[in-house]
Amino acid sequence: MSNSAVKFKNVEKKFAAETIIEKLSFEVEDGEFITILGSSGSGKTTTLKMINRLVEPDGGTIEVNGQSIEQIDLIELRRNIGYVVQQIGLFPHLTIEKNIATVPELLGWDKEKILVRVKELMELVKLPYEQYGKRHPKQLSGGQQQRVGVARALAANPQIMLLDEPFGAVDAITRKELQKQIKSIHKELSGKTFLFVTHDINEAFYLGDKVMIMNNGEISQYDTPKNIVTNPKTDFVKELLDTIYEEEALWRELK
Ligand SMILES: Nc1ncnc2c1ncn2[C@@H]1O[C@H](COP(=O)(O)OP(=O)(O)OP(=O)(O)O)[C@@H](O)[C@H]1O
Ligand SMILES: [Mg+2]
């Protein structure tokens, strides 16, 4: 049996008097690529942030690798979890090399080891060190910056990656390219667990081993893409799939 990398049990979150998430329970197995899909404000970012304790739940338990996150030292927890934020969030005054090296430097790795790691990661995200290492973020395109964000999150070799709409602000062709790359990165780094938030249904179904569909702080359905499409469980999921089928019909008509 495989182990669970992340496990939510009856997790609750309130902001002021408003309950955002009520009794959220789910499990992600070691090595899986999970996508979390849902409308704006449905609680996707909040769910991710509770895993690395940027947001504290008001009830229930969250386990990472079988251990309650309250019992894991916060620095240790975050070292084991890479995080790519919704807005790219690179440090504008640092070179690409320095941006990627942020966490290894904080961890006190020696210079040699950091350089090897930076070069390896830049290779992985297809931005050769020689060409891009000494540039600053503003000298890169949006899509390239997104890839630096991914490389930076991978720097200390975390077991779990949280990606919050990492490909939000790029054109459709670049986005497709980035999706292919992130899929192959996940495959290449076998055994790592990815939780990837998106509100793009195509992206969610293309990338996820399983898709978690959220609506108003609840899981509407959590299953493989195939099972969701062949057996949508709720009206919300049916509506979501209908938007795709309508689009498909439009394109067919135009041909
Ligand atoms: N710090 C906060 N204080 C108060 N309310 C918050 C806070 N953070 C989030 N919320 C509220 O919680 C709800 C869920 O927010 P969240 O950011 O998790 O949504 P999301 O699914 O990531 O949406 P999006 O797709 O727009 O990023 C929203 O109604 C939001 O306004
Ligand atoms: Mg969000």
Side-chain angles (χ1 to χ4, degrees):
M1 222 181 82
S2 47
N3 297 316
S4 87
V6 176
K7 189 172 182 176
F8 275 49
K9 240 187 288 176
N10 295 324
V11 172
E12 273 180 50
K13 180 66 203 170
K14 297 186 186 111
F15 284 116
E18 201 186 349
T19 302
I20 300 299
I21 285 167
E22 202 180 351
K23 295 212 184 318
L24 187 67
S25 300
F26 68 89
E27 207 171 326
V28 180
E29 282 172 22
D30 234 356
E32 275 186 318
F33 196 137
I34 298 300
T35 50
I36 303 177
L37 175 70
S39 40
S40 187
S42 59
K44 305 180 298 296
T45 296
T46 305
T47 300
L48 278 200
K49 282 185 171 173
M50 288 195 288
I51 299 171
N52 61 9
R53 295 188 71 179
L54 285 173
V55 168
E56 295 287 348
D58 294 302
T61 55
I62 300 172
E63 290 176 9
V64 165
N65 298 325
Q67 205 182 353
S68 164
I69 55 173
E70 285 174 34
Q71 279 152 22
I72 306 171
D73 172 65
L74 189 59
I75 293 171
E76 188 58 40
L77 177 78
R78 293 202 182 141
R79 189 181 302 171
N80 195 34
I81 301 176
Y83 184 41
V84 184
V85 291
Q86 207 163 351
Q87 303 81 17
I88 306 163
L90 298 179
F91 302 115
H93 58 290
L94 296 181
T95 61
I96 299 310
E97 173 178 20
K98 288 284 178 194
N99 262 284
I100 296 173
T102 312
V103 175
E105 274 175 4
L106 280 174
L107 296 175
W109 292 14
D110 68 55
K111 279 200 165 71
E112 199 70 16
K113 186 176 166 191
I114 293 177
L115 185 62
V116 170
R117 184 70 179 145
V118 167
K119 286 184 172 172
E120 178 181 84
L121 287 162
M122 292 192 71
E123 198 65 41
L124 185 71
V125 298
K126 304 213 159 40
L127 294 168
Y129 174 82
E130 286 66 30
Q131 205 175 339
Y132 296 99
K134 304 294 179 198
R135 291 199 201 178
H136 283 79
K138 67 171 189 299
Q139 295 167 302
L140 265 58
S141 74
Q144 290 168 336
Q145 290 184 36
Q146 310 264 20
R147 266 136 67 193
V148 176
V150 172
R152 185 176 61 178
L154 283 168
N157 201 24
Q159 217 19 59
I160 297 171
M161 283 283 279
L162 309 177
L163 303 112
D164 195 348
E165 297 192 38
F167 309 145
V170 294
D171 66 88
I173 292 173
T174 307
R175 193 174 176 117
K176 192 79 222 167
E177 191 51 44
L178 290 172
Q179 288 168 2
K180 284 182 191 154
Q181 284 177 8
I182 200 78
K183 204 168 184 162
S184 82
I185 286 170
H186 178 256
K187 208 179 267 175
E188 229 171 283
L189 305 169
S190 59
K192 287 201 196 303
T193 308
F194 280 32
L195 280 85
F196 185 111
V197 165
T198 177
H199 54 236
D200 179 334
I201 179 167
N202 287 297
E203 186 165 88
F205 279 70
Y206 171 69
L207 288 176
D209 297 322
K210 279 192 196 155
V211 182
M212 184 186 301
I213 300 175
M214 288 188 78
N215 184 27
N216 291 330
E218 287 181 348
I219 295 176
S220 213
Q221 193 165 1
Y222 177 38
D223 211 331
T224 60
K226 181 111 192 130
N227 285 345
I228 293 175
V229 171
T230 51
N231 190 14
K233 291 260 192 242
T234 63
D235 288 344
F236 181 72
V237 175
K238 283 178 197 154
E239 256 175 61
L240 205 62
L241 293 172
D242 279 343
T243 63
I244 289 291
Y245 303 147
E246 278 164 26
E247 256 176 50
E248 210 180 48
L250 167 74
W251 289 110
R252 227 179 296 125
E253 245 171 64
L254 288 174
K255 263 201 206 164

